[in-house]
């Protein structure tokens, strides 16, 4: 056995230590980013802090005796946007220079100060101009040589109002069915709907039309898409992860989106206001709850929007998206508010407080002048209902049993009120009141002197909803859902019941923009069977029953306001008989056209049959020689079909045989 030797103990063995040094001609071509990229990315970045500094100009120039007071005022105004870490007031000859520097704890706070405080009016002589300090450096480095901006390609989306030019004045509507898998746009026709566009998975939840019908909004997990034009091309996209609710400004210039997923303290993104034309984000807002959507309510012209928080009404102006006059209205106990549909007037109400009665206030904007205040007593709740033109405001008041005050323009009802609705473009309103099964429908008229007159009352109605025609005069009293879809079509000019019908389990009623048609529907979202939408005339005559698999939603496409003046509309109404003759003639032509189309269709089918018959006879004649050969030269085509029996001789193996066929019994004897 060979002995082993421990090399460590061998004096002649020396362990050679490896060299880790680079050779003299070695060139290191690996940079730190490649080796330590993840560590370097976490390395704190050097910053000079100027992105958190704002410069405020047009500050009052004061001496030492008033400086402390000025600092307190400035701090109170600007500390609302974040924590101020440093304040610097430059001085010269014992007076401040009229501009100051404020440093915030974070750049986002400085940006918020610029957005909200720029243009703040301190007094008659001083209006703040607020800028980021970094903006001065940016503008100082702008080149003196002007470069021609690159011309952007024009995007042609087609005629955005093409549907209004339809020669037959057909309105459009959107339909979602197959549980949301398919969305279609139809043109309404009394005979059957005409498909304009149909797509699979066009939206992930539901769709919305803009107020004037220009855009169709679809919902997606990553945001909102707007479509329009003749082929419904994509007009704009707004990235807002998890968006669930939207709202348009009446002027269609802005869209408001809400997502419960995106809000942060530093960068409010729960509610975002977007510019539709540019796709840019105008401003973000925090949102604690979306239970009362929309959070913002817009003025009729889109110049203002308002938001209510406890004891506060905040009114913002466009396009700056800043607070009107840089401050909110402090209204202790405010419960609800509403803009007039015709003027920049806002109505709000506050409840009773100890010995102070409840009150409803009308305030003019932007002056904030109170133009009318009305005290109310023994109030439990109020609902504000503007007539569509803004000519009238109804305040529906729920009172306590004790004490009553009945001015001349108040209708007091002892029964519970189920529904209330103004007549569009008119001075009438309808009220549903009582308890089932004794529900009454009352119709009132507001006279020129302000007094309210009862026109008519229908008792024992199966109704829980009121739907006025957009043009007024006609309405549908509907008993939706729990009332099994009872429908009553009413002409309020003489308060006659034109028709009583039923659409079992109907969940929705939608008037078309012209008031000529009305749709009742059973949505799959509320009821899983009998999903369909039915089309009726305004008089209650059923025209169509459209059954769609798992039908979800139908929305009429709105029309923009008419360009006709009030005098022109009066002239058209005056000459309506002359126009009606033209329309009746066109309707007759349309019916005869339909009959002609049917006759032409039948004639084409007959012509097709004749061509087929001639082809078949030709083939039959060509095959005659083959038949003669198969039948031993006997021309069976010419056999007398009236003879009860025929004898056919044919050759078989072993000799000839006769075959006797009895045509009456179809028996054969050999």
């Amino acid at each position: 056995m060979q002995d082993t030797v421990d090399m460590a103990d061998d004096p002649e063995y020396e362990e050679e230590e490896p060299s880790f040094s680079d050779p003299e001609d070695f060139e290191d071509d690996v940079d730190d980013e490649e080796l330590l990229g993840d560590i370097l990315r976490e390395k704190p970045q050097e910053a000079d802090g100027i992105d958190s500094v704002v410069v405020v100009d047009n500050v009052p120039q004061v001496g030492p005796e008033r400086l402390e007071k000025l600092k307190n005022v400035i701090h109170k105004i600007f500390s609302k946007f974040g924590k101020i870490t440093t304040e610097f007031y430059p001085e010269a000859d014992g007076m401040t220079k009229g501009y100051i520097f404020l440093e915030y704890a974070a750049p986002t706070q400085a940006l918020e100060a610029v957005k909200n405080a720029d243009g703040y009016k301190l007094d008659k002589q001083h209006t703040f101009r607020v800028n980021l300090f970094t903006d001065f450096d940016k503008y100082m480095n702008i080149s003196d040589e002007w470069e021609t901006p690159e011309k952007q390609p024009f995007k042609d989306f087609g005629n955005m109002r093409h549907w209004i030019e339809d020669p037959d004045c057909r309105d459009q509507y959107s339909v979602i069915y197959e549980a949301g898998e398919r969305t279609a746009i139809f043109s309404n026709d009394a005979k059957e709907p005409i498909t304009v566009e149909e797509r699979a998975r066009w939206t992930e939840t539901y769709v919305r039309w803009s107020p004037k019908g220009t855009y169709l909004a679809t919902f997606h997990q990553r945001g909102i898409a707007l479509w329009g034009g003749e082929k419904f091309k994509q007009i704009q996209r707004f990235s807002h992860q998890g968006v669930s609710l939207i709202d348009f400004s009446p002027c269609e210039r802005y869209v408001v989106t809400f997502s419960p997923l995106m809000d942060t303290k530093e960068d409010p993104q729960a509610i975002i206001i977007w510019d539709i034309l540019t796709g840019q984000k105008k401003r973000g807002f925090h949102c604690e709850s979306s239970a009362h959507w929309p959070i913002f309510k817009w003025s009729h012209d889109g110049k203002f929007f308002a938001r209510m928080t406890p004891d506060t009404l905040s009114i913002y102006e466009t396009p700056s998206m800043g607070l009107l006059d840089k401050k909110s209205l402090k209204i202790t106990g405010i419960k609800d508010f509403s803009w007039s549909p015709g003027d920049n007037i806002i109505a709000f109400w506050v409840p009773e407080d100890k010995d102070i009665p409840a009150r409803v206030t009308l305030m003019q904007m932007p002056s904030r002048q109170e133009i009318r205040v009305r005290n109310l007593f023994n109030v439990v709740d109020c609902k504000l209902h503007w007539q569509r033109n803004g000519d009238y405001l109804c305040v529906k008041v729920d009172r306590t049993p004790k004490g009553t005050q009945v001015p001349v323009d108040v209708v007091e009802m002892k029964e519970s009120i189920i529904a209330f609705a103004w007549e569009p473009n008119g001075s009438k309103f309808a009220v549903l009141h009582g308890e089932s099964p004794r529900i009454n429908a009352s119709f009132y008229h507001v006279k020129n002197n302000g007094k309210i007159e009862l026109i008519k009352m229908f008792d024992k109605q199966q109704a829980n909803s009121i739907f006025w025609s957009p043009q007024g005069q006609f309405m549908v009293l509907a008993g939706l859902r729990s009332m099994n879809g009872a429908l009553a079509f009413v002409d309020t000019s003489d308060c006659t019941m034109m028709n009583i019908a039923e659409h079992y389990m109907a969940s929705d009623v939608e008037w078309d923009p012209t008031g000529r048609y009305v749709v009742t529907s059973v949505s799959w979202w509320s009821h899983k069977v009998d999903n369909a939408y039915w089309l009726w005339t305004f008089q209650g005559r059923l025209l169509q029953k459209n059954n769609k698999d798992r039908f979800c939603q139908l929305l009429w496409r709105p029309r923009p306001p008419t360009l006709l003046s009030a005098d022109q509309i009066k002239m058209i109404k005056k000459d309506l008989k002359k126009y009606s003759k033209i329309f009746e003639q066109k309707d007759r032509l349309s019916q005869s056209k339909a009959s002609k189309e049917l006759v032409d269709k039948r004639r084409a089918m007959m012509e097709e049959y004749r061509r087929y018959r001639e082809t078949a006879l030709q083939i039959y004649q060509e095959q005659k020689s083959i038949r003669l050969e198969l039948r031993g030269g006997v021309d069976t085509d010419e056999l007398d079909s009236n003879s009860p029996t025929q004898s056919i001789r044919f050759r078989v193996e072993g000799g000839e045989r006769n075959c006797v066929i009895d045509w009456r019994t179809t028996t054969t004897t050999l």
Side-chain angles (χ1 to χ4, degrees):
M1 184 175 182
Q2 187 177 2
D3 295 332
T4 59
V5 179
D6 189 350
M7 293 184 179
D9 296 334
D10 187 353
E12 296 182 1
Y13 175 76
E14 293 183 5
E15 183 178 2
E16 185 177 351
E17 191 170 312
S19 175
F20 294 97
S21 301
D22 295 328
E24 294 182 3
D25 59 346
F26 176 78
E27 293 184 6
D28 189 358
D29 59 351
V30 181
D31 58 11
D32 291 343
E33 181 66 28
E34 185 175 346
L35 286 174
L36 306 170
D38 54 340
I39 298 175
L40 290 176
R41 280 191 289 273
E42 297 177 3
K43 178 183 176 182
Q45 300 297 314
E46 183 178 352
D48 51 16
I50 62 173
D51 53 352
S52 299
V53 177
V54 298
V55 183
V56 185
D57 285 307
N58 297 332
V59 178
Q61 297 180 351
V62 298
E65 68 281 358
R66 297 177 58 196
L67 181 59
E68 193 62 33
K69 182 178 180 181
L70 176 64
K71 287 184 176 181
N72 290 336
V73 172
I74 294 292
H75 188 84
K76 182 178 180 181
I77 294 171
F78 285 89
S79 61
K80 293 186 293 185
F81 312 116
K83 182 181 178 182
I84 300 174
T85 58
T86 307
E87 302 178 20
F88 179 61
Y89 289 72
E91 298 181 15
D93 300 329
M95 298 284 288
T96 59
K97 289 188 174 182
Y99 61 89
I100 62 173
F101 299 89
L102 302 176
E103 182 178 0
Y104 283 92
T108 55
Q109 298 172 2
L111 190 62
E112 194 72 13
V114 172
K115 286 182 180 178
N116 293 280
D118 185 40
Y120 182 91
K121 191 173 183 179
L122 183 65
D123 52 40
K124 292 182 179 179
Q125 288 80 30
H126 300 92
T127 300
F128 292 155
R129 299 300 303 178
V130 186
N131 294 280
L132 291 171
F133 188 81
T134 52
D135 287 345
F136 288 90
D137 187 42
K138 179 176 70 176
Y139 294 128
M140 287 295 292
N141 293 328
I142 294 178
S143 174
D144 294 334
E145 296 181 5
W146 183 76
E147 296 181 2
T148 305
E150 184 179 348
K151 190 175 182 179
Q152 298 296 320
F154 172 70
K155 294 181 179 179
D156 186 8
F157 298 113
N159 184 359
M160 301 295 284
R161 299 283 176 88
H162 70 285
W163 85 97
I164 303 176
E165 299 176 358
D166 184 272
D168 294 319
C169 300
R170 288 180 291 227
D171 285 285
Q172 294 184 354
Y173 56 85
S174 63
V175 172
I176 298 177
Y177 60 102
E178 291 186 7
E181 285 294 308
R182 298 197 70 82
T183 303
I185 311 297
F186 294 102
S187 277
N188 180 44
D189 190 85
K191 298 176 182 64
E192 59 180 353
I194 302 169
T195 304
V196 176
E197 192 74 23
E198 186 172 7
R199 298 178 190 176
R201 293 177 292 279
W202 199 351
T203 183
E204 293 180 13
T205 51
Y206 60 103
V207 300
R208 276 282 305 273
W209 292 102
S210 60
K212 298 179 182 179
T214 308
Y215 307 106
L216 177 71
T218 57
F219 288 70
H220 310 272
Q221 181 60 30
R222 303 173 101 182
I224 296 294
L226 295 188
W227 311 79
E230 298 178 24
K231 300 297 182 183
F232 285 93
K233 296 179 182 177
Q234 189 176 101
I235 307 297
Q236 199 61 266
R237 291 184 300 175
F238 307 101
S239 178
H240 199 181
Q241 190 76 20
V243 61
S244 58
L245 298 168
I246 68 168
D247 185 40
F248 286 93
S249 65
C251 58
E252 292 191 338
R253 180 66 191 273
Y254 307 102
V255 62
V256 187
T257 60
F258 167 77
S259 171
L261 308 178
M262 298 293 291
D263 210 12
T264 59
K265 289 184 178 180
E266 294 77 16
D267 185 15
Q269 295 188 61
I271 300 174
I272 299 178
I273 300 180
W274 307 85
D275 188 304
I276 290 179
L277 297 179
T278 64
Q280 294 179 344
K281 174 184 174 181
K282 299 296 290 184
R283 186 171 175 182
F285 293 87
H286 294 295
C287 181
E288 292 76 24
S289 172
S290 63
H292 301 285
W293 183 261
I295 301 295
F296 295 109
K297 296 180 181 179
W298 292 84
S299 63
H300 76 288
D301 54 6
K303 290 184 178 180
F304 305 98
F305 59 98
R307 177 183 189 178
M308 186 181 69
T309 51
D311 300 329
T312 304
L313 182 62
S314 302
I315 302 167
Y316 302 84
E317 55 186 342
T318 61
S320 67
M321 304 296 163
L323 270 172
L324 180 64
D325 295 335
K326 308 301 178 184
K327 58 183 178 181
S328 299
L329 287 168
K330 298 296 181 183
I331 306 171
T332 304
I334 182 172
K335 286 291 185 181
D336 193 16
F337 74 98
S338 180
W339 287 96
S340 165
D343 299 284
N344 287 330
I345 297 173
I346 202 165
F348 61 87
W349 80 278
V350 295
E352 297 179 11
D353 183 20
K354 298 179 181 177
D355 296 331
I356 302 174
R359 71 184 187 278
V360 176
T361 304
L362 296 181
M363 183 177 288
Q364 183 78 48
M365 292 297 164
S367 64
R368 304 194 183 201
Q369 178 186 357
E370 293 185 355
I371 57 178
R372 184 72 186 271
V373 178
R374 183 62 179 271
N375 292 329
L376 303 170
F377 296 89
N378 308 314
V379 174
V380 177
D381 191 22
C382 275
K383 291 289 185 294
L384 306 173
H385 298 274
W386 284 98
Q387 185 247 15
R388 194 171 73 174
N389 295 336
D391 297 332
Y392 305 98
L393 170 67
C394 172
V395 181
K396 184 178 81 68
V397 181
D398 295 337
R399 297 184 185 275
T400 55
K402 61 177 183 179
T404 57
Q405 181 186 20
V406 188
V408 294
D409 56 350
V410 170
V411 177
E412 185 144 353
M413 296 182 175
K414 302 299 182 183
E415 303 168 311
S416 61
I417 297 175
I418 299 170
F420 171 93
W422 278 106
E423 176 191 23
N425 308 322
S427 58
K428 295 194 286 287
F429 62 87
V431 184
L432 292 178
H433 52 96
E435 299 290 342
S436 183
R438 297 189 62 85
I439 295 176
N440 302 318
S442 297
F443 302 93
Y444 292 88
H445 170 64
V446 182
K447 293 184 175 182
N448 293 332
N449 60 6
K451 291 186 178 180
I452 299 172
E453 178 185 28
L454 176 65
I455 305 172
K456 181 79 172 180
M457 185 179 76
F458 295 114
D459 59 355
K460 296 183 180 179
Q461 295 297 305
Q462 285 187 291
N464 53 21
S465 303
I466 303 169
F467 298 94
W468 281 96
S469 162
Q471 305 306 320
Q473 182 176 344
F474 304 104
M475 67 152 52
V476 175
L477 299 175
L480 301 180
R481 297 179 176 86
S482 60
M483 290 190 174
N484 296 330
L487 305 170
F489 296 82
V490 182
D491 182 352
T492 62
S493 62
D494 54 4
C495 288
T496 57
M497 198 77 72
M498 297 182 293
N499 191 26
I500 296 176
E502 180 183 291
H503 185 176
Y504 182 69
M505 293 307 295
S507 57
D508 300 283
V509 175
E510 296 281 350
W511 280 94
D512 85 314
T514 66
R516 294 179 295 172
Y517 303 98
V518 62
V519 164
T520 59
S521 59
V522 181
S523 173
W524 183 79
W525 290 336
S526 60
H527 196 63
K528 298 304 181 186
V529 296
D530 299 328
N531 305 128
Y533 67 92
W534 294 3
L535 181 72
W536 311 73
T537 67
F538 68 93
Q539 298 163 317
R541 181 165 59 91
L542 182 61
L543 298 176
Q544 299 172 17
K545 290 185 179 182
N546 294 290
N547 298 314
K548 290 287 186 182
D549 178 33
R550 289 167 292 169
F551 163 83
C552 298
Q553 180 197 48
L554 183 145
L555 288 178
W556 288 96
R557 188 173 193 173
R559 282 176 170 256
T562 179
L563 299 177
L564 299 175
S565 65
D567 292 336
Q568 288 174 318
I569 293 174
K570 285 182 180 178
M571 287 298 297
I572 291 172
K573 289 182 177 180
K574 183 179 178 181
D575 299 334
L576 193 58
K577 290 183 178 179
K578 179 178 71 176
Y579 294 119
S580 62
K581 291 179 181 178
I582 300 172
F583 295 139
E584 287 171 3
Q585 183 181 3
K586 191 172 182 179
D587 289 341
R588 285 194 297 269
L589 287 173
S590 175
Q591 292 174 359
S592 63
K593 181 182 176 182
S595 301
K596 184 176 180 299
E597 288 176 355
L598 183 61
V599 170
D600 290 344
K601 183 178 179 181
R602 290 176 177 174
R603 185 177 288 115
M605 292 174 64
M606 190 65 186
E607 196 63 34
E608 184 181 357
Y609 166 72
R610 285 172 180 165
R611 287 196 299 269
Y612 168 77
R613 186 174 183 275
E614 289 173 2
T615 303
L617 286 173
Q618 184 179 352
I619 295 172
Y620 184 75
Q621 293 298 331
E622 291 173 355
Q623 294 176 346
K624 185 168 184 177
S625 59
I626 301 174
R627 290 197 300 276
L628 288 172
E629 184 180 350
L630 290 173
R631 297 170 182 172
V634 178
D635 185 3
T636 57
D637 299 342
E638 304 298 331
L639 291 177
D640 186 5
S641 59
N642 294 323
S643 176
T645 60
Q646 295 290 338
S647 176
I648 301 175
R649 178 173 293 275
F650 59 94
R651 187 177 299 277
V652 296
E653 189 176 356
E656 291 185 352
R657 301 285 296 274
N658 283 333
C659 176
V660 180
I661 301 176
D662 189 337
W663 301 106
R664 294 170 299 184
T665 61
T666 65
T667 58
T668 304
T669 306
L670 291 177

